[in-house]
PDB file of all heavy atoms in Angstrom:
ATOM      1  N   TYR A 769      25.396  80.938 -28.350  1.00 98.00           N
ATOM      2  CA  TYR A 769      25.498  79.898 -29.388  1.00 98.00           C
ATOM      3  C   TYR A 769      24.094  79.757 -30.075  1.00 98.00           C
ATOM      4  O   TYR A 769      23.053  79.932 -29.457  1.00 98.00           O
ATOM      5  CB  TYR A 769      25.813  78.528 -28.736  1.00 98.00           C
ATOM      6  CG  TYR A 769      27.250  78.474 -28.175  1.00 98.00           C
ATOM      7  CD1 TYR A 769      27.520  78.969 -26.922  1.00 98.00           C
ATOM      8  CD2 TYR A 769      28.270  78.032 -28.969  1.00 98.00           C
ATOM      9  CE1 TYR A 769      28.777  78.899 -26.376  1.00 98.00           C
ATOM     10  CE2 TYR A 769      29.561  77.980 -28.440  1.00 98.00           C
ATOM     11  CZ  TYR A 769      29.755  78.430 -27.166  1.00 98.00           C
ATOM     12  OH  TYR A 769      31.038  78.443 -26.670  1.00 98.00           O
ATOM     13  N   GLN A 771      22.043  76.793 -32.260  1.00 98.00           N
ATOM     14  CA  GLN A 771      22.032  75.379 -32.618  1.00 98.00           C
ATOM     15  C   GLN A 771      20.859  75.054 -33.520  1.00 98.00           C
ATOM     16  O   GLN A 771      19.706  75.266 -33.105  1.00 98.00           O
ATOM     17  CB  GLN A 771      22.034  74.444 -31.382  1.00 98.00           C
ATOM     18  CG  GLN A 771      22.226  73.015 -31.715  1.00 98.00           C
ATOM     19  CD  GLN A 771      22.257  72.110 -30.537  1.00 98.00           C
ATOM     20  OE1 GLN A 771      21.599  72.345 -29.538  1.00 98.00           O
ATOM     21  NE2 GLN A 771      23.050  71.007 -30.630  1.00 98.00           N
ATOM     22  N   LYS A 775      22.444  69.547 -35.509  1.00 97.00           N
ATOM     23  CA  LYS A 775      23.783  70.124 -35.705  1.00 97.00           C
ATOM     24  C   LYS A 775      24.429  70.464 -34.408  1.00 97.00           C
ATOM     25  O   LYS A 775      23.780  70.627 -33.386  1.00 97.00           O
ATOM     26  CB  LYS A 775      23.675  71.379 -36.605  1.00 97.00           C
ATOM     27  CG  LYS A 775      23.057  71.070 -38.005  1.00 97.00           C
ATOM     28  CD  LYS A 775      23.965  70.188 -38.838  1.00 97.00           C
ATOM     29  CE  LYS A 775      23.412  70.092 -40.285  1.00 97.00           C
ATOM     30  NZ  LYS A 775      24.278  69.106 -41.085  1.00 97.00           N
ATOM     31  N   ALA A 776      25.776  70.625 -34.566  1.00 98.00           N
ATOM     32  CA  ALA A 776      26.489  71.111 -33.381  1.00 98.00           C
ATOM     33  C   ALA A 776      26.238  72.576 -33.110  1.00 98.00           C
ATOM     34  O   ALA A 776      25.936  73.324 -34.058  1.00 98.00           O
ATOM     35  CB  ALA A 776      27.996  70.884 -33.606  1.00 98.00           C
ATOM     36  N   TYR A 820      21.573  79.421 -26.974  1.00 98.00           N
ATOM     37  CA  TYR A 820      22.063  79.171 -25.642  1.00 98.00           C
ATOM     38  C   TYR A 820      23.093  80.211 -25.221  1.00 98.00           C
ATOM     39  O   TYR A 820      23.911  80.563 -26.026  1.00 98.00           O
ATOM     40  CB  TYR A 820      22.653  77.782 -25.494  1.00 98.00           C
ATOM     41  CG  TYR A 820      21.811  76.615 -25.770  1.00 98.00           C
ATOM     42  CD1 TYR A 820      21.695  76.059 -27.071  1.00 98.00           C
ATOM     43  CD2 TYR A 820      21.085  75.956 -24.725  1.00 98.00           C
ATOM     44  CE1 TYR A 820      20.884  74.914 -27.253  1.00 98.00           C
ATOM     45  CE2 TYR A 820      20.303  74.915 -25.019  1.00 98.00           C
ATOM     46  CZ  TYR A 820      20.176  74.404 -26.265  1.00 98.00           C
ATOM     47  OH  TYR A 820      19.376  73.258 -26.460  1.00 98.00           O
ATOM     48  N   TYR A 824      31.574  81.148 -18.890  1.00 98.00           N
ATOM     49  CA  TYR A 824      32.860  80.406 -18.756  1.00 98.00           C
ATOM     50  C   TYR A 824      33.789  81.143 -17.770  1.00 98.00           C
ATOM     51  O   TYR A 824      35.010  81.102 -17.833  1.00 98.00           O
ATOM     52  CB  TYR A 824      33.577  80.172 -20.137  1.00 98.00           C
ATOM     53  CG  TYR A 824      33.671  81.422 -21.001  1.00 98.00           C
ATOM     54  CD1 TYR A 824      34.849  82.201 -20.982  1.00 98.00           C
ATOM     55  CD2 TYR A 824      32.616  81.841 -21.828  1.00 98.00           C
ATOM     56  CE1 TYR A 824      34.926  83.334 -21.778  1.00 98.00           C
ATOM     57  CE2 TYR A 824      32.681  82.973 -22.630  1.00 98.00           C
ATOM     58  CZ  TYR A 824      33.921  83.728 -22.604  1.00 98.00           C
ATOM     59  OH  TYR A 824      33.991  84.798 -23.401  1.00 98.00           O
ATOM     60  N   TYR A 827      34.577  77.162 -13.416  1.00 97.00           N
ATOM     61  CA  TYR A 827      34.050  75.808 -13.598  1.00 97.00           C
ATOM     62  C   TYR A 827      33.189  75.465 -12.440  1.00 97.00           C
ATOM     63  O   TYR A 827      33.430  75.817 -11.276  1.00 97.00           O
ATOM     64  CB  TYR A 827      35.195  74.812 -13.664  1.00 97.00           C
ATOM     65  CG  TYR A 827      36.010  74.907 -14.952  1.00 97.00           C
ATOM     66  CD1 TYR A 827      37.189  75.644 -14.998  1.00 97.00           C
ATOM     67  CD2 TYR A 827      35.538  74.248 -16.105  1.00 97.00           C
ATOM     68  CE1 TYR A 827      37.910  75.717 -16.180  1.00 97.00           C
ATOM     69  CE2 TYR A 827      36.255  74.351 -17.294  1.00 97.00           C
ATOM     70  CZ  TYR A 827      37.462  75.111 -17.313  1.00 97.00           C
ATOM     71  OH  TYR A 827      38.190  75.226 -18.512  1.00 97.00           O
ATOM     72  N   PRO A 828      32.064  74.716 -12.658  1.00 97.00           N
ATOM     73  CA  PRO A 828      31.707  74.192 -13.999  1.00 97.00           C
ATOM     74  C   PRO A 828      31.119  75.245 -14.916  1.00 97.00           C
ATOM     75  O   PRO A 828      30.398  76.113 -14.467  1.00 97.00           O
ATOM     76  CB  PRO A 828      30.540  73.181 -13.645  1.00 97.00           C
ATOM     77  CG  PRO A 828      29.919  73.807 -12.393  1.00 97.00           C
ATOM     78  CD  PRO A 828      31.104  74.358 -11.630  1.00 97.00           C
ATOM     79  N   GLN A 829      31.536  75.133 -16.190  1.00 98.00           N
ATOM     80  CA  GLN A 829      30.872  76.001 -17.139  1.00 98.00           C
ATOM     81  C   GLN A 829      29.406  75.647 -17.134  1.00 98.00           C
ATOM     82  O   GLN A 829      29.063  74.478 -16.983  1.00 98.00           O
ATOM     83  CB  GLN A 829      31.442  75.774 -18.571  1.00 98.00           C
ATOM     84  CG  GLN A 829      32.974  76.022 -18.643  1.00 98.00           C
ATOM     85  CD  GLN A 829      33.452  75.761 -20.135  1.00 98.00           C
ATOM     86  OE1 GLN A 829      32.847  76.102 -21.092  1.00 98.00           O
ATOM     87  NE2 GLN A 829      34.563  75.023 -20.203  1.00 98.00           N
ATOM     88  N   PHE A 831      25.448  76.383 -19.039  1.00 98.00           N
ATOM     89  CA  PHE A 831      24.615  76.873 -20.102  1.00 98.00           C
ATOM     90  C   PHE A 831      23.255  77.352 -19.574  1.00 98.00           C
ATOM     91  O   PHE A 831      22.763  76.742 -18.555  1.00 98.00           O
ATOM     92  CB  PHE A 831      24.386  75.793 -21.130  1.00 98.00           C
ATOM     93  CG  PHE A 831      25.591  75.435 -22.004  1.00 98.00           C
ATOM     94  CD1 PHE A 831      26.380  74.391 -21.540  1.00 98.00           C
ATOM     95  CD2 PHE A 831      25.847  76.109 -23.160  1.00 98.00           C
ATOM     96  CE1 PHE A 831      27.516  74.047 -22.329  1.00 98.00           C
ATOM     97  CE2 PHE A 831      26.963  75.706 -24.003  1.00 98.00           C
ATOM     98  CZ  PHE A 831      27.764  74.654 -23.507  1.00 98.00           C
TER      99      PHE A 831
ATOM    100  N   ASN B1168      37.383  70.513 -24.561  1.00 98.00           N
ATOM    101  CA  ASN B1168      36.191  70.247 -23.734  1.00 98.00           C
ATOM    102  C   ASN B1168      35.439  69.109 -24.361  1.00 98.00           C
ATOM    103  O   ASN B1168      35.427  68.802 -25.523  1.00 98.00           O
ATOM    104  CB  ASN B1168      35.240  71.521 -23.750  1.00 98.00           C
ATOM    105  CG  ASN B1168      35.986  72.835 -23.463  1.00 98.00           C
ATOM    106  OD1 ASN B1168      36.123  73.213 -22.304  1.00 98.00           O
ATOM    107  ND2 ASN B1168      36.427  73.512 -24.560  1.00 98.00           N
ATOM    108  N   GLN B1172      24.573  66.470 -24.825  1.00 98.00           N
ATOM    109  CA  GLN B1172      23.181  66.913 -25.031  1.00 98.00           C
ATOM    110  C   GLN B1172      22.277  65.689 -25.001  1.00 98.00           C
ATOM    111  O   GLN B1172      22.336  64.914 -25.994  1.00 98.00           O
ATOM    112  CB  GLN B1172      23.029  67.701 -26.289  1.00 98.00           C
ATOM    113  CG  GLN B1172      21.686  68.356 -26.468  1.00 98.00           C
ATOM    114  CD  GLN B1172      21.636  69.343 -27.629  1.00 98.00           C
ATOM    115  OE1 GLN B1172      22.322  69.218 -28.609  1.00 98.00           O
ATOM    116  NE2 GLN B1172      20.914  70.444 -27.484  1.00 98.00           N
ATOM    117  N   GLY B1177      18.829  70.413 -23.329  1.00 98.00           N
ATOM    118  CA  GLY B1177      19.874  71.401 -23.532  1.00 98.00           C
ATOM    119  C   GLY B1177      21.257  70.932 -23.520  1.00 98.00           C
ATOM    120  O   GLY B1177      21.490  69.730 -23.366  1.00 98.00           O
ATOM    121  N   LEU B1178      22.169  71.837 -23.625  1.00 98.00           N
ATOM    122  CA  LEU B1178      23.560  71.533 -23.534  1.00 98.00           C
ATOM    123  C   LEU B1178      24.084  71.417 -22.137  1.00 98.00           C
ATOM    124  O   LEU B1178      23.715  72.235 -21.226  1.00 98.00           O
ATOM    125  CB  LEU B1178      24.352  72.608 -24.326  1.00 98.00           C
ATOM    126  CG  LEU B1178      24.069  72.789 -25.761  1.00 98.00           C
ATOM    127  CD1 LEU B1178      24.616  74.034 -26.330  1.00 98.00           C
ATOM    128  CD2 LEU B1178      24.495  71.576 -26.583  1.00 98.00           C
ATOM    129  N   TRP B1180      27.877  71.005 -20.056  1.00 98.00           N
ATOM    130  CA  TRP B1180      29.254  70.851 -20.035  1.00 98.00           C
ATOM    131  C   TRP B1180      29.644  69.641 -19.187  1.00 98.00           C
ATOM    132  O   TRP B1180      29.127  69.374 -18.162  1.00 98.00           O
ATOM    133  CB  TRP B1180      29.940  72.158 -19.427  1.00 98.00           C
ATOM    134  CG  TRP B1180      31.382  71.949 -19.166  1.00 98.00           C
ATOM    135  CD1 TRP B1180      32.414  72.053 -20.103  1.00 98.00           C
ATOM    136  CD2 TRP B1180      32.058  71.658 -17.928  1.00 98.00           C
ATOM    137  NE1 TRP B1180      33.600  71.752 -19.426  1.00 98.00           N
ATOM    138  CE2 TRP B1180      33.388  71.535 -18.109  1.00 98.00           C
ATOM    139  CE3 TRP B1180      31.474  71.382 -16.629  1.00 98.00           C
ATOM    140  CZ2 TRP B1180      34.278  71.285 -17.070  1.00 98.00           C
ATOM    141  CZ3 TRP B1180      32.368  71.146 -15.622  1.00 98.00           C
ATOM    142  CH2 TRP B1180      33.740  71.079 -15.830  1.00 98.00           C
ATOM    143  N   SER B1183      36.782  69.456 -19.074  1.00 98.00           N
ATOM    144  CA  SER B1183      37.731  70.300 -19.767  1.00 98.00           C
ATOM    145  C   SER B1183      39.104  69.839 -19.394  1.00 98.00           C
ATOM    146  O   SER B1183      39.336  69.397 -18.188  1.00 98.00           O
ATOM    147  CB  SER B1183      37.522  71.754 -19.478  1.00 98.00           C
ATOM    148  OG  SER B1183      36.302  72.235 -19.958  1.00 98.00           O
ATOM    149  N   PHE B1192      38.964  69.410 -15.279  1.00 98.00           N
ATOM    150  CA  PHE B1192      37.809  69.729 -14.561  1.00 98.00           C
ATOM    151  C   PHE B1192      36.630  68.805 -15.055  1.00 98.00           C
ATOM    152  O   PHE B1192      36.601  68.454 -16.173  1.00 98.00           O
ATOM    153  CB  PHE B1192      37.405  71.179 -14.822  1.00 98.00           C
ATOM    154  CG  PHE B1192      38.481  72.243 -14.492  1.00 98.00           C
ATOM    155  CD1 PHE B1192      39.413  72.582 -15.433  1.00 98.00           C
ATOM    156  CD2 PHE B1192      38.536  72.742 -13.206  1.00 98.00           C
ATOM    157  CE1 PHE B1192      40.398  73.480 -15.143  1.00 98.00           C
ATOM    158  CE2 PHE B1192      39.568  73.649 -12.920  1.00 98.00           C
ATOM    159  CZ  PHE B1192      40.450  74.092 -13.880  1.00 98.00           C
ATOM    160  N   TYR B1228      29.872  65.918 -27.652  1.00 98.00           N
ATOM    161  CA  TYR B1228      30.650  66.760 -28.541  1.00 98.00           C
ATOM    162  C   TYR B1228      31.929  67.086 -27.931  1.00 98.00           C
ATOM    163  O   TYR B1228      32.041  67.490 -26.794  1.00 98.00           O
ATOM    164  CB  TYR B1228      29.965  68.089 -28.853  1.00 98.00           C
ATOM    165  CG  TYR B1228      28.636  68.042 -29.475  1.00 98.00           C
ATOM    166  CD1 TYR B1228      27.461  68.126 -28.711  1.00 98.00           C
ATOM    167  CD2 TYR B1228      28.476  68.018 -30.921  1.00 98.00           C
ATOM    168  CE1 TYR B1228      26.204  68.131 -29.336  1.00 98.00           C
ATOM    169  CE2 TYR B1228      27.228  67.949 -31.488  1.00 98.00           C
ATOM    170  CZ  TYR B1228      26.076  68.053 -30.763  1.00 98.00           C
ATOM    171  OH  TYR B1228      24.839  68.079 -31.370  1.00 98.00           O
ATOM    172  N   LEU B1233      38.079  78.071 -24.994  1.00 93.00           N
ATOM    173  CA  LEU B1233      37.251  78.640 -23.926  1.00 93.00           C
ATOM    174  C   LEU B1233      36.967  80.102 -24.331  1.00 93.00           C
ATOM    175  O   LEU B1233      37.904  80.894 -24.303  1.00 93.00           O
ATOM    176  CB  LEU B1233      37.884  78.555 -22.645  1.00 93.00           C
ATOM    177  CG  LEU B1233      37.082  78.965 -21.372  1.00 93.00           C
ATOM    178  CD1 LEU B1233      36.015  77.819 -21.138  1.00 93.00           C
ATOM    179  CD2 LEU B1233      37.944  79.155 -20.124  1.00 93.00           C
ATOM    180  N   PRO B1235      34.154  77.488 -26.007  1.00 97.00           N
ATOM    181  CA  PRO B1235      34.201  76.592 -27.136  1.00 97.00           C
ATOM    182  C   PRO B1235      33.888  77.202 -28.438  1.00 97.00           C
ATOM    183  O   PRO B1235      32.780  77.752 -28.550  1.00 97.00           O
ATOM    184  CB  PRO B1235      33.290  75.427 -26.736  1.00 97.00           C
ATOM    185  CG  PRO B1235      33.177  75.505 -25.271  1.00 97.00           C
ATOM    186  CD  PRO B1235      33.272  76.983 -24.894  1.00 97.00           C
ATOM    187  N   GLY B1239      32.997  69.314 -32.671  1.00 98.00           N
ATOM    188  CA  GLY B1239      32.845  68.158 -33.462  1.00 98.00           C
ATOM    189  C   GLY B1239      31.418  67.919 -33.878  1.00 98.00           C
ATOM    190  O   GLY B1239      30.530  68.675 -33.446  1.00 98.00           O
TER     191      GLY B1239
END
Side-chain angles (χ1 to χ4, degrees):
Chain A
Y769 293 84
Q771 187 179 32
K775 299 295 187 183
Y820 295 92
Y824 52 94
Y827 289 98
Q829 299 179 47
F831 289 91
Chain B
N1168 310 273
Q1172 187 169 36
L1178 300 168
W1180 171 80
S1183 297
F1192 303 91
Y1228 297 99
L1233 188 73

